[in-house]
C-alpha cells in the first residue's frame, strides 16, 4: 500500500517523514476531502457509519498510533472520501456508464500470499481483458487511452509518490511490487461504503472489526459494480479480471450483485500464508503504532483471515460448482502458463497464440524484472505457532 504525498512533514536523514499529532475527527477529515476536491456531493450517507466507527477506533489507545501512523491512517480515510466525491462527480458527468454491461467477471480470491497477485497479472495480460490499475482504484474515472496517462496530473502525482516509496521502503517493494500502472486489488472501491477489511489488516481496530462483521456488504458490491461500469466505459466488451482476499468475507454479497461471476480460488498452506501476511502488514505499518506490532499483528491477522476462510467455504456450496476454479500455489509457481490456460479451458474462454505469447512475456519479466519477488518471514516473530494456525483453519 502506498504512502501518501506530504501534508505536514519533517526531514530525517534525507527521508521525508510525514507526521500528525492526531488522526482528527471524522468531520474534520470530511472537511479536508471537500477542500481537496472542491466537491460536496457524497451521493448519500452509506459510507458514513463505517468510517465514523473507524476514525473513532483509530483515535483509541488500542490503535496506539504514532504521529506517523496518524498521518498514514488519516490519509487512507481521506482517500476513501475523496474517492466517493470524485466518483459521484464522474457518475453525473458520464451518465452512459449506467448501461455498461459486465458479463462473467473473473474474481480471484484466497488467503493473502497465495499467488493471487501473480495470477491476476497473468490473466490481465490478455488484451481482451481489463483490470483496475492502481491509480484508477483510488480515483475512478473512464479509463483514458494509455498514451495519455503521463499527462494526467493525478496519475503523475501517484507515480511520483510510488517512485519515492520505492526509495524509502525497498523492503516493501520486494514483498509486493506496485506502481500507478499495475493492476491492483479492488478493496478501494468497497471502502467507498466504509466496508473494507484492509483497515483491519493495518491497525488494531476491535470496534471497527466487530461493526464490520455485523454488516451486509451488498451495497458495497453494488457501488463496486457502478465503479467498474464507470472505469470500463471506454473499454466495453473486455472481460473484468479482479482480485481481493476480502472477497472471501462476503461471497454471498458478491454473488448477489454478480450472479454470473467466475471465481478462481487459490490454495496454499495457511501456516505460510499467515506468516507472510503478518510480515507484509508489519512492513507496511512500520513505525505507525505502539500496539500493532509483534503478537498483536499475529493474532489480529489470524482472526481476520481464518474468519474469511470459513465464511468463503461455508458460502461456496450455495453456488454452481462450474463457476469456481481452484489453483494450488505450487502449481502456479511451477507452471504459470499451464495454470492460466487451465482456467481458460475450465471457464470456456478463448485461448489463442497471442494470449499465450502475452502471458509468457509477462512471466519472464516477473521472474527477472523489477517486480521479481523477494520476501523473508517467520511465524514466531508474530507470537504464533504452527499448531495455532492449523487449528484456526481446521474444517
Amino acid at each position: 500500500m502506498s504512502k501518501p504525498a506530504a501534508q505536514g512533514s519533517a526531514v530525517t536523514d534525507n527521508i521525508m517523514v510525514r507526521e500528525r499529532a492526531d488522526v482528527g475527527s471524522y468531520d474534520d477529515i470530511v472537511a479536508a476531502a471537500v477542500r481537496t476536491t472542491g466537491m460536496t456531493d457524497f451521493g448519500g450517507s452509506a459510507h458514513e457509519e463505517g468510517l465514523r466507527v473507524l476514525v473513532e477506533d483509530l483515535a483509541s489507545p488500542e490503535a496506539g498510533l504514532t504521529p506517523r501512523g496518524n498521518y498514514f491512517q488519516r490519509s487512507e480515510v481521506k482517500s476513501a472520501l475523496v474517492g466517493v466525491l470524485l466518483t459521484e462527480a464522474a457518475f453525473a458527468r458520464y451518465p452512459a456508464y449506467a448501461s455498461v454491461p459486465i458479463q462473467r467477471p473473473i474474481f480471484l480470491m484466497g488467503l493473502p500470499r497465495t499467488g493471487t497477485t501473480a495470477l491476476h497479472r497473468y490473466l490481465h495480460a490478455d488484451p481482451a481483458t481489463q483490470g483496475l490499475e492502481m491509480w484508477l482504484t483510488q480515483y475512478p474515472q473512464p479509463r483514458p487511452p494509455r498514451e495519455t496517462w503521463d499527462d494526467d496530473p493525478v496519475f503523475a502525482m501517484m507515480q511520483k509518490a510510488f517512485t519515492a516509496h520505492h526509495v524509502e521502503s525497498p523492503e516493501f517493494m520486494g514483498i509486493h511490487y506496485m506502481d500507478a500502472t499495475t493492476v491492483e486489488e479492488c478493496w478501494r472501491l468497497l471502502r467507498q461504503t466504509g466496508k473494507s477489511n484492509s483497515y483491519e489488516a493495518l491497525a488494531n481496530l476491535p470496534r471497527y472489526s466487530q461493526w464490520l462483521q455485523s454488516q451486509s456488504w451488498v451495497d458495497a458490491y453494488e457501488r463496486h459494480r457502478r465503479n467498474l461500469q464507470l472505469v470500463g466505459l471506454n473499454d466495453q466488451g473486455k472481460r473484468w479480471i479482479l482480485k481481493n482476499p476480502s472477497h472471501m468475507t462476503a461471497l454471498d454479497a458478491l454473488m448477489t450483485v454478480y450472479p454470473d461471476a467466475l471465481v478462481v480460488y487459490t490454495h496454499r498452506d495457511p501456516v505460510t500464508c499467515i506468516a507472510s501476511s503478518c510480515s507484509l502488514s508489519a512492513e507496511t505499518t512500520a513505525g505507525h503504532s505502539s500496539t500493532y506490532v509483534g503478537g498483536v499483528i499475529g493474532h489480529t491477522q489470524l482472526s481476520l483471515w481464518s474468519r474469511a476462510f470459513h465464511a468463503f467455504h461455508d458460502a461456496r456450496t450455495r453456488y454452481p460448482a462450474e463457476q469456481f476454479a481452484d489453483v494450488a500455489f505450487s502449481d502456479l509457481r511451477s507452471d504459470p502458463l499451464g495454470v492460466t490456460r487451465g482456467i481458460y479451458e475450465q471457464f470456456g474462454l478463448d485461448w489463442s497464440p497471442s494470449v499465450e505469447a502475452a502471458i509468457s512475456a509477462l512471466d519472464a519479466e516477473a521472474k527477472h524484472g523489477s517486480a521479481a519477488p523477494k520476501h523473508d518471514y517467520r511465524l514466531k516473530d508474530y507470537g504464533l505457532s504452527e499448531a495455532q494456525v492449523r487449528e484456526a483453519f481446521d474444517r
Side-chain angles (χ1 to χ4, degrees):
M1 190 171 299
S2 64
K3 296 177 183 177
Q7 185 192 53
S9 53
V11 176
T12 303
D13 295 331
N14 297 320
I15 294 177
M16 193 70 76
V17 179
R18 304 170 184 99
E19 300 182 344
R20 281 186 57 94
D22 55 45
V23 173
S25 70
Y26 170 77
D27 292 327
D28 174 47
I29 302 174
V30 168
V34 169
R35 286 194 303 271
T36 295
T37 62
M39 301 171 183
T40 59
D41 182 9
F42 286 94
S45 60
H47 61 284
E48 186 170 336
E49 181 181 1
L51 292 182
R52 281 191 181 276
V53 173
L54 173 64
V55 172
E56 290 172 3
D57 226 4
L58 287 169
S60 71
E62 289 90 342
L65 296 184
T66 65
R68 186 168 184 169
N70 286 328
Y71 179 91
F72 176 86
Q73 294 292 353
R74 177 189 171 89
S75 296
E76 288 298 303
V77 177
K78 180 184 172 184
S79 179
L81 291 165
V82 167
V84 175
L85 288 166
L86 292 179
T87 50
E88 284 300 320
F91 290 156
R93 184 178 179 184
Y94 303 101
Y97 87 91
S99 61
V100 173
I102 297 179
Q103 298 177 326
R104 300 184 80 205
I106 295 178
F107 286 85
L108 282 72
M109 61 190 77
L111 292 175
R113 321 305 294 166
T114 54
T116 53
T117 296
L119 187 54
H120 187 206
R121 293 173 184 174
Y122 288 134
L123 290 169
H124 181 256
D126 182 347
T129 68
Q130 60 182 316
L132 281 168
E133 292 83 5
M134 170 61 81
W135 73 296
L136 295 176
T137 70
Q138 300 242 34
Y139 306 111
Q141 60 179 291
R143 185 184 294 106
R146 178 63 182 88
E147 62 271 16
T148 68
W149 290 7
D150 290 338
D151 297 325
D152 186 294
V154 173
F155 175 84
M157 175 191 69
M158 290 188 66
Q159 196 70 313
K160 182 178 180 180
F162 276 111
T163 299
H165 187 29
H166 296 173
V167 174
E168 184 178 341
S169 302
E171 297 87 356
F172 179 89
M173 303 316 291
I175 297 171
H176 184 87
Y177 180 86
M178 62 176 70
D179 63 27
T181 68
T182 55
V183 286
E184 269 299 324
E185 296 177 350
C186 46
W187 56 264
R188 290 176 181 83
L189 303 186
L190 297 172
R191 73 178 180 177
Q192 289 189 14
T193 50
K195 296 170 183 173
S196 172
N197 59 20
S198 64
Y199 297 114
E200 295 180 85
L202 297 177
N204 186 29
L205 302 170
R207 283 168 289 276
Y208 178 76
S209 178
Q210 185 176 26
W211 175 85
L212 192 59
Q213 290 174 53
S214 68
Q215 301 302 303
S216 166
W217 289 48
V218 171
D219 64 335
Y221 280 96
E222 287 172 341
R223 189 172 182 91
H224 179 280
R225 186 183 184 101
R226 292 178 68 197
N227 270 286
L228 295 190
Q229 291 175 294
L230 174 68
V231 174
L233 180 61
N234 298 330
D235 294 294
Q236 297 185 43
K238 290 188 175 183
R239 185 185 305 279
W240 277 100
I241 309 294
L242 303 150
K243 77 105 171 178
N244 187 358
S246 74
H247 292 317
M248 294 192 301
T249 304
L251 183 64
D252 284 329
L254 186 156
M255 298 300 280
T256 297
V257 176
Y258 298 101
D260 62 347
L262 305 175
V263 175
V264 179
Y265 182 73
T266 51
H267 299 256
R268 192 181 187 185
D269 183 353
V271 169
T272 302
C273 293
I274 294 300
S276 183
S277 179
C278 287
S279 174
L280 178 60
S281 290
E283 184 60 40
T284 305
T285 61
H288 289 190
S289 172
S290 61
T291 60
Y292 192 69
V293 295
V296 173
I297 291 178
H299 288 280
T300 55
Q301 289 285 296
L302 182 61
S303 174
L304 169 62
W305 295 117
S306 62
R307 291 195 315 267
F309 173 86
H310 291 296
F312 171 81
H313 286 284
D314 289 344
R316 176 174 174 168
T317 58
R318 293 192 276 272
Y319 304 100
E322 59 268 21
Q323 288 181 241
F324 292 81
D326 293 275
V327 170
F329 178 80
S330 57
D331 292 340
L332 182 61
R333 286 287 299 271
S334 63
D335 186 14
L337 194 65
V339 165
T340 309
R341 181 168 186 164
I343 292 169
Y344 272 66
E345 291 173 348
Q346 181 166 340
F347 290 148
L349 307 178
D350 183 26
W351 181 268
S352 66
S354 62
V355 171
E356 183 167 337
I359 294 172
S360 297
L362 180 65
D363 183 42
E365 166 62 21
K367 290 176 179 175
H368 304 291
S370 59
K374 307 170 186 68
H375 189 194
D376 297 313
Y377 46 83
R378 295 178 300 178
L379 193 64
K380 67 179 181 179
D381 292 340
Y382 304 100
L384 296 174
S385 68
E386 181 175 328
Q388 284 176 288
V389 175
R390 295 208 182 282
E391 181 180 3
F393 287 89
D394 181 26
R395 290 187 63 82

